[in-house]
Amino acid sequence: MKVSLRAGELIYINGAVLRVDRKVAIELVNDVMFLLENQIMQAADATTALRQLYFMVQLMLMNPTDHQDAAVLYKQHHAALKAVCENRQMLDGLDQVGELVAATRYYEALKRIRALFPVEQAILSGTAIELPIEAA
């Protein structure tokens, strides 16, 4: 996989934080977990149940050698969300997220959670219609 970065941009690779000093393209030639700076959610932005779930999975991805605490919180939060949610689209999405996390495919799980943000927003605003889900 080839990733292009702008000068000063951060990338998180297998728990390491790298900042590039100039525009660069890097090729990841083996299986690594990474996040680009614009995909990182700050704790203060985890203001909804689904965003909190995203933050927990993000912590598991960013700190692969010490993710047990985040994994415990994730499991509890995921189960609680599934227990209270009635929207079929959200439930199906949460099932997919659960499968991805169980397979340690955290990046794909984050992508799936991001795709559910509009569904959550519709539920919270009281306009819970079935929305087309796009890959984020």
Side-chain angles (χ1 to χ4, degrees), residues 36-51:
L36 299 174
E37 186 173 9
N38 65 352
Q39 297 167 325
I40 302 297
M41 180 179 292
Q42 300 300 316
D45 296 327
T47 56
T48 67
L50 199 58
R51 289 176 181 274

Side-chain angles (χ1 to χ4, degrees), residues 31-87:
D31 190 24
V32 298
M33 289 195 238
F34 74 95
L35 278 178
L36 299 174
E37 186 173 9
N38 65 352
Q39 297 167 325
I40 302 297
M41 180 179 292
Q42 300 300 316
D45 296 327
T47 56
T48 67
L50 199 58
R51 289 176 181 274
Q52 290 166 359
L53 191 71
Y54 183 96
F55 189 76
M56 292 169 200
V57 175
Q58 172 185 288
L59 290 176
M60 292 169 20
L61 185 146
M62 290 176 70
N63 196 359
T65 59
D66 185 25
H67 70 280
Q68 293 80 11
D69 291 340
V72 169
L73 287 174
Y74 160 80
K75 287 178 187 175
Q76 293 170 348
H77 196 69
H78 186 264
L81 268 173
K82 288 191 55 144
V84 299
C85 189
E86 298 175 354
N87 180 285

